[in-house]
Amino acid sequence: MKILVTGGAGFIGGNFCLTMVNEHPEDEYVCLDLLTYAGNLETLASIQDKKNFRFIRGDIRDREFIYRLFEEEQFDAVINFAAETHVDRSIEEPDVFVSTNVMGVQVLLDACRKYQTKRFHQVSTDEVYGDLPLDRPDLLFREDTPLHASSPYSASKASADLLVLAYYRTFGLPVTISRCSNNYGPYQFPEKLIPLMIARATADESLPVYGEGLNVRDWLHVYDHNTAIDLIVRNGREGEVYNIGGHNEKANIDVVKTILRQLGKPESLIHFVKDRPGHDLRYAMDPTKLETELGWKPVYNFDTGMKQTIDWYLENREWWEHIISGDYKNYYARMYKDRQ
Ligand code: NAD
Ligand code: TYD
């Protein structure tokens, strides 16, 4: 298969390329990425010379460029990771979220239709379902849970999911969608909870926990997310949505304490700050369909996954120190100044 991986210089798409280029030498992977602030070619350094891998810089919103690429390459499958992904940024600046996460997806869908791509896979999120109450641990998101997005980010992802399913129903485009819970692992940009806290704690800086730190996220190691996507693209049924999650619900404060414990840093670094507007309380996935239909199983639990991740950040400081020494300083000052 010749597979187009969009957003492959980001966190999850980058890990996908690193894993799959090695695990599937018979397949050819073309990685397309705009290299926004979140894209990083250093992530792909270890595979850039592989015969079955190529990187192209480009924008999924650029219809002319995308059509030309599809015409030349005749992809068998497209896996769309490309997106604006940070909820806090979507609250500051929603426009680019609609532009990339909705309009960009429409361009890709049109290209798949025009060039008869055999599979379009949309990488989506549990956040499209909205949130669950903290006091009802029996409730989990299922694939038929109504969409009820809270933030401009999740609303843009929900919009894309609706478009993808409309192209299936109206045009018979062979599509699949996966909706995954929060990911963690190597190469995650340090604006998201876990790498932000690791980077700040190692420098003995205060750790900004929103509200009381009681919001719950369902954590999955990025490797397990990517094995699920690979399975769905190869064996999933067209027109279907698959939830991905590993039953690892944790309150934010407990995640932060886990990081401090493993780094040998004091809890006095924790600093409770003003809450995120519209902050979703709890996410929790029911991945039964993926497990029973496709036989997927995660290999990491939260303890083994967090240990691997923290060790990775300690051993690969140059990867994230490049990031936090640049524009990121302005980002942090801007985003957190009113939270104190
Ligand atoms: P990320 O922000 O690390 O990476 C996104 C990548 O997309 C970057 O490399 C960026 O340069 C690229 N990109 C942005 N706009 C583009 C455009 N217009 N054209 C081409 N490339 C563009 O995000 P991530 O955490 O790796 O998330 C990847 C996908 O997985 C997203 O669709 C996200 O919604 C979804 N997802 C993420 C999580 C999570 O916890 N991070 C969980 C579930 C689903
Ligand atoms: P994040 O990594 O931004 O993912 P998402 O909002 O998509 O779930 O945040 C995870 C949780 O951590 C979320 O409840 C918000 C919280 N959080 C903090 O408490 N402090 C922070 O500095 C950040 C970035 C997040």
Side-chain angles (χ1 to χ4, degrees):
M1 280 205 290
K2 190 195 261 195
I3 302 172
L4 176 66
V5 180
T6 59
F11 163 49
I12 306 175
N15 276 282
F16 183 86
C17 291
L18 294 176
T19 301
M20 300 308 161
V21 163
N22 287 309
E23 280 189 9
H24 296 290
E26 72 285 6
D27 291 327
E28 190 182 336
Y29 292 88
V30 177
C31 169
L32 171 79
D33 197 294
L34 183 57
L35 299 180
T36 67
Y37 79 92
N40 190 345
L41 278 183
E42 286 174 34
T43 301
L44 301 169
S46 69
I47 52 170
Q48 68 186 8
D49 295 329
K50 293 271 181 183
K51 277 205 199 63
N52 62 337
F53 178 77
R54 248 177 320 137
F55 176 80
I56 299 172
R57 186 171 191 181
D59 191 333
I60 60 166
R61 296 167 295 184
D62 183 344
R63 190 174 286 272
E64 215 177 291
F65 159 75
I66 290 288
Y67 282 8
R68 210 177 328 117
L69 183 72
F70 274 63
E71 167 108 51
E72 281 164 19
E73 302 282 350
Q74 300 293 327
F75 299 112
D76 297 299
V78 173
I79 307 178
N80 181 37
F81 293 91
E84 289 291 333
T85 61
H86 190 35
V87 173
D88 292 321
R89 288 187 193 252
S90 83
I91 295 168
E92 293 283 296
E93 198 192 344
D95 290 22
V96 68
F97 284 74
V98 175
S99 160
T100 285
N101 298 3
V102 187
M103 316 285 269
V105 170
Q106 196 211 343
V107 170
L108 292 175
L109 289 167
D110 285 339
C112 287
R113 232 187 118 203
K114 189 168 159 73
Y115 296 100
Q116 298 178 349
T117 312
K118 294 195 263 313
R119 176 59 62 91
F120 175 81
H121 182 77
Q122 171 69 359
V123 179
S124 186
T125 163
D126 58 357
E127 302 193 25
V128 299
Y129 298 120
D131 62 355
L132 295 164
L134 291 175
D135 60 355
R136 288 289 308 273
D138 55 312
L139 294 180
L140 303 176
F141 294 134
R142 295 158 36 105
E143 287 81 358
D144 57 4
T145 301
L147 301 189
H148 197 254
S150 317
S151 70
Y153 163 66
S154 52
S156 69
K157 294 295 290 184
S159 306
D161 283 12
L162 292 175
L163 264 182
V164 172
L165 294 173
Y167 272 61
Y168 171 70
R169 166 97 184 237
T170 306
F171 305 118
L173 193 75
V175 304
T176 38
I177 296 178
S178 55
R179 295 182 179 142
C180 190
S181 57
N182 284 62
N183 281 213
Y184 66 98
Y187 302 106
Q188 187 169 29
F189 194 89
E191 66 187 351
K192 305 282 167 61
L193 179 74
I194 289 177
L196 181 113
M197 297 301 172
I198 297 172
R200 291 187 67 81
T202 52
D204 297 307
E205 290 169 336
S206 68
L207 308 184
V209 174
Y210 298 167
E212 295 174 36
L214 299 179
N215 302 60
V216 169
R217 297 293 183 263
D218 184 358
W219 294 97
L220 187 72
H221 193 279
V222 63
Y223 175 83
D224 290 318
H225 183 185
N226 283 329
T227 60
I229 291 173
D230 187 54
L231 262 182
I232 296 165
V233 170
R234 287 169 199 278
N235 304 328
R237 284 180 296 136
E238 288 174 14
E240 293 292 319
V241 174
Y242 294 88
N243 281 354
I244 311 174
H247 296 290
N248 273 310
E249 286 181 56
K250 304 278 172 209
N252 293 338
I253 188 69
D254 294 330
V255 173
V256 173
K257 285 182 180 171
T258 302
I259 293 169
L260 287 171
R261 246 192 329 274
Q262 198 175 316
L263 291 173
K265 299 287 182 179
E267 290 187 6
S268 55
L269 287 177
I270 294 173
H271 187 54
F272 293 99
V273 299
K274 197 164 143 210
D275 211 350
R276 171 188 281 172
H279 197 174
D280 279 337
L281 290 174
R282 170 176 166 252
Y283 305 139
M285 277 307 219
D286 180 352
T288 306
K289 177 174 171 182
L290 178 69
E291 289 167 346
T292 52
E293 217 179 281
L294 301 180
W296 174 82
K297 267 201 206 78
V299 298
Y300 287 99
N301 61 35
F302 192 68
D303 291 343
T304 56
M306 279 299 282
K307 176 156 185 1
Q308 185 266 3
T309 300
I310 294 175
D311 286 346
W312 185 88
Y313 277 88
L314 293 177
E315 285 157 18
N316 293 274
R317 276 170 169 273
E318 72 288 0
W319 183 88
W320 54 273
E321 280 177 349
H322 280 177
I323 296 171
I324 61 173
S325 63
D327 253 5
Y328 179 86
K329 279 203 174 68
N330 300 330
Y331 161 81
Y332 192 87
R334 193 178 75 244
M335 280 313 238
Y336 288 85
K337 75 174 184 322
D338 295 331
R339 290 199 191 274
Q340 303 310 314

